[in-house]
Amino acid sequence: MNKQDVVQSITGGQFEAAAANGTASAPANIALCKYWGKRNEEINLPVTSSLSVSLGHLGTTTTVEPVAGADEVILNGLPVPEDTTFARRLRAYLDLFRRDAKQGFKVITHNTIPTAAGLASSASGYAALALAMNELFGWDLDRRELSILARLGSGSASRSVYHGFVQWHAGSQDDGLDSFAELLPETWPDLRMGLVKISTMEKTVSSRDAMRETVAESVLYRSWPSQVERDLQIIRQAIAEQAFDTLGRAAENNALAMHATAIAAWPPTLFWWPESVKAMQKVWALRANGMPVYFTMDAGPNIKLLSDKQNVRAIQNEFPDVEWVAPFDESAR
Ligand code: PMV
């Protein structure tokens, strides 16, 4: 099964525009239990399930419109040159939705994630695009199907079709039609995520390459599925009980275990910068002084703090430039 087959089975190949354009928004998300390793690279099928929280008002809004001829991509008001990785990857995704080879798309996309936050926007980007395609073509798909379409653009995008706590089920089928994200019923109004900017430079190793090398070469990767199985259970229960320390501890440990598998691969991948380690040490020092604060990290040097509303001010003394997100504050969306 390739990407085109998946799109065909979900949309029935209906690529006649039902409107002049389609517009949609999607939030970014941060995994508390990471997606790390694919069992199928073509259609982004993960080895394990994963669980995330969305970033409230931070995300992507995209409008897509059919045009005759070449694709046009506008990102935050500026045209994106054709020969960039960003444009190439986007074109390959748009290829899945063309009526014929002459059919192009104009994609106008706006990230509310400040570029300075150094956060990857592919999750919200591909989710917003899949949702916008659904509007353009009038498919009327449900969230499960939209999650699968978003997944074809970027694995973590499967989780960005919802706001809140989201679990992406790994699934076991070869066609991946059982590999989609689902919204968890719980909310946690006082939960806060702090974005600590270490670097906004484009990463040197893609998560795709690092995952491939880790799955193939890291002996530590063998323990990853059982780590995830355990962490998912702990995190689900911590969310149900609003047990902050249990949640933070499991999320931080899960992130560090993910990074350990990548460090133990060959070639090794270390996403940390010296400043990342300094930030981790500050978190540990705060905790040693009784402050409930934890961190998580993805395939880059930036740190995301996990905290509770009441402690934000005290943590800010140590991390003055942190940007705080309230994932469950609907008024900010
Ligand atoms: O969706 P991708 O291919 O960018 O992979 C994301 C991987 C991590 O961010 C490291 C973990 C996750 O679950 O989001």
Side-chain angles (χ1 to χ4, degrees):
M1 193 113 184
N2 62 24
K3 285 184 179 167
Q4 197 70 63
D5 299 328
V6 177
V7 171
Q8 185 70 31
S9 80
I10 288 179
T11 67
Q14 200 302 94
F15 299 139
E16 292 297 333
N21 59 49
T23 296
S25 299
N29 75 75
I30 299 295
L32 302 172
C33 182
K34 307 293 183 191
Y35 147 54
W36 193 241
K38 303 179 202 239
R39 67 173 200 276
N40 178 326
E41 279 210 37
E42 158 74 15
I43 54 174
N44 289 337
L45 295 182
V47 173
T48 70
S49 297
S50 57
L51 192 153
S52 61
V53 62
S54 62
L55 283 187
H57 64 292
L58 300 183
T60 304
T61 298
T62 291
T63 297
V64 61
E65 179 186 319
V67 293
D71 297 326
E72 273 175 76
V73 182
I74 316 281
L75 173 62
N76 294 338
L78 297 171
V80 179
E82 267 179 43
D83 57 349
T84 53
T85 315
F86 183 94
R88 270 196 295 273
R89 197 171 151 193
L90 187 54
R91 271 202 306 279
Y93 188 73
L94 294 172
D95 283 348
L96 302 170
F97 304 98
R98 298 186 208 281
R99 205 177 44 220
D100 55 54
K102 290 194 296 270
Q103 147 95 75
F105 292 102
K106 181 172 184 180
V107 178
I108 304 168
T109 191
H110 187 80
N111 284 332
T112 54
I113 306 172
T115 343
L119 266 183
S121 50
S122 68
S124 55
Y126 282 99
L129 185 53
L131 296 170
M133 286 289 186
N134 184 47
E135 296 301 314
L136 173 68
F137 291 117
W139 293 321
D140 204 17
L141 300 178
D142 61 25
R143 291 283 140 167
R144 173 186 295 209
E145 294 165 316
L146 291 166
S147 171
I148 294 174
L149 288 187
R151 192 196 77 218
L152 300 177
S154 177
S156 54
S158 67
R159 299 185 307 240
S160 271
V161 298
Y162 305 98
H163 279 276
F165 290 119
V166 178
Q167 184 160 349
W168 171 14
H169 303 289
S172 58
Q173 290 172 209
D174 286 344
D175 62 10
L177 295 178
D178 60 350
S179 183
F180 54 85
E182 221 168 24
L183 182 67
L184 303 184
E186 294 92 347
T187 63
W188 193 325
D190 286 351
L191 190 71
R192 294 292 180 271
M193 194 140 247
L195 310 178
V196 182
K197 182 190 78 178
I198 306 288
S199 162
T200 56
M201 265 169 51
E202 210 174 306
K203 48 190 174 192
T204 43
V205 185
S206 68
S207 47
R208 171 172 289 266
D209 290 347
M211 279 187 208
R212 184 189 309 117
E213 283 149 11
T214 302
V215 173
E217 298 291 341
S218 175
V219 172
L220 295 190
Y221 191 76
R222 292 180 202 158
S223 63
W224 178 249
S226 53
Q227 167 110 26
V228 168
E229 202 178 319
R230 187 198 68 173
D231 291 345
L232 276 177
Q233 259 182 30
I234 298 173
I235 292 171
R236 285 291 299 259
Q237 188 156 353
I239 290 172
E241 293 168 359
Q242 310 254 304
F244 179 74
D245 280 301
T246 312
L247 178 84
R249 180 178 162 160
E252 184 173 309
N253 181 249
N254 182 271
L256 288 170
M258 176 198 108
H259 285 269
T261 66
I263 295 167
W266 200 266
T269 300
L270 177 65
F271 291 106
W272 309 349
W273 285 24
E275 293 84 354
S276 318
V277 177
K278 280 199 190 109
M280 291 181 205
Q281 286 169 329
K282 268 204 236 177
V283 170
W284 294 327
L286 279 166
R287 272 217 306 276
N289 284 327
M291 176 62 66
V293 56
Y294 297 83
F295 68 84
T296 184
M297 268 183 95
D298 294 297
N302 299 301
I303 302 267
K304 291 99 185 183
L305 303 177
L306 267 171
S307 141
D308 191 89
K309 183 181 172 187
Q310 74 198 49
N311 296 315
V312 157
R313 196 173 291 216
I315 295 168
Q316 201 140 337
N317 291 335
E318 284 301 314
F319 290 98
D321 296 329
V322 70
E323 168 160 6
W324 291 102
V325 178
F328 295 94
D329 180 1
E330 288 185 30
S331 66
R333 283 177 204 161

